[in-house]
Amino acid sequence: MPADPSALPTLIDTPDGSRTAFNARFGEAYGSRFGAAGQARHVFVEGTDTHTHPTPRVLEIGFGVGVNFRATLTDAARRGVPLEYVAYEFDPATSEVLRAVAEGNEGTEHPAWTALLEGWPTLPTLTVEAEQVRLTVHFLDVLTADLPQAWASALYLDGFSPDRNPEVWTPEVAARLAGALAPGGILATYSAAGRVRRALAAAGLSVEKRAGPKGKREHLRAVREPLPPLSGQ
């Protein structure tokens, strides 16, 4: 039976035709009010060079309402490349919210998204495999969960703002996230806060400010240095 619309979080239509939703617990929207899909593409898919990677392995902190995943899924399907995607989500929205946010937007026809909605949320872990896509969502607190080590070609740090959810943005968490990146891997976040930049730099990542998506002047990108070439090459 469909959920009572009055019980759903407030949905927000954004200027690029996509949607996000308001999270009452943290007092802010899951994605940009200036363009949720635009932010997903600019900051995360393109900001981590996932849109050019031949075999992207994405680690997302804060699956939210799935906008970043659908943007990544759409890009991988368009290019015909395999996608491995691992996400951590401590406080999952309902499948009705995910469905309502996604309706009429990119990625909704892909079998991986359909399977996600059918299984959501399977505790403690949901795994979906469809058409070169393997998605794993861990419904665990990333502060204490075991993260993959030296695995991710891209890391999407999207856990609400540092002011609203400060625990995710500490130097300790930054160090754990840096360890999850493969050599040469790239972390991106919509935040440009000084304390976030300093935490990522202290974790050994090379951090730069980049032009932000619509409505935001800057965002951060941080790179784990690639391994040096083998001797004699």
Side-chain angles (χ1 to χ4, degrees):
M1 178 180 296
D4 178 358
S6 66
L8 295 176
T10 301
L11 299 179
I12 302 168
D13 291 312
T14 72
D16 65 5
S18 63
R19 297 183 197 87
T20 185
F22 183 80
N23 183 289
R25 176 178 180 178
F26 291 100
E28 66 182 21
Y30 285 96
S32 173
R33 294 171 179 266
F34 295 95
Q39 175 181 273
R41 288 190 297 270
H42 179 87
V43 173
F44 297 110
V45 180
E46 297 173 4
T48 60
D49 293 345
T50 294
H51 68 308
T52 62
H53 199 290
T55 56
R57 298 186 307 276
V58 177
L59 177 62
E60 180 173 29
I61 307 304
F63 187 85
V65 289
V67 176
N68 296 335
F69 171 64
R70 286 190 290 104
T72 310
L73 178 67
T74 299
D75 174 77
R78 177 183 60 80
R79 295 191 294 126
V81 301
L83 170 65
E84 292 188 69
Y85 200 104
V86 175
Y88 288 81
E89 178 55 62
F90 179 63
D91 185 25
T94 66
S95 60
E96 289 83 6
V97 173
L98 269 63
R99 192 183 306 273
V101 169
E103 184 179 4
N105 276 273
E106 63 182 6
T108 56
E109 302 301 320
H110 196 285
W113 180 253
T114 303
L116 168 75
L117 293 178
E118 291 174 351
W120 187 274
T122 301
L123 304 178
T125 300
L126 171 64
T127 301
V128 168
E129 292 190 59
E131 292 188 4
Q132 296 195 94
V133 176
R134 180 178 174 87
L135 166 68
T136 304
V137 183
H138 298 289
F139 300 101
L140 301 170
D141 188 344
V142 73
L143 301 181
T144 56
D146 292 330
L147 301 181
Q149 293 298 296
W151 177 81
S153 64
L155 196 154
Y156 300 173
L157 179 51
D158 195 18
F160 292 105
S161 69
D163 290 334
R164 298 287 185 172
N165 190 23
E167 293 88 353
V168 176
W169 305 88
T170 65
E172 293 76 17
V173 173
R176 296 183 68 229
L177 298 181
L181 283 170
I186 302 170
L187 178 153
T189 176
Y190 59 83
S191 178
R195 68 179 183 272
V196 175
R197 178 178 53 79
R198 290 189 292 273
L200 294 173
L205 302 179
S206 178
V207 187
E208 64 174 327
K209 290 182 179 180
R210 293 166 63 92
K214 184 177 181 181
K216 188 165 178 54
R217 187 162 63 92
E218 296 172 324
H219 79 94
L220 296 178
R221 164 180 162 127
V223 181
R224 181 175 178 179
E225 293 301 320
L227 293 173
L230 295 176
S231 179
Q233 290 189 357

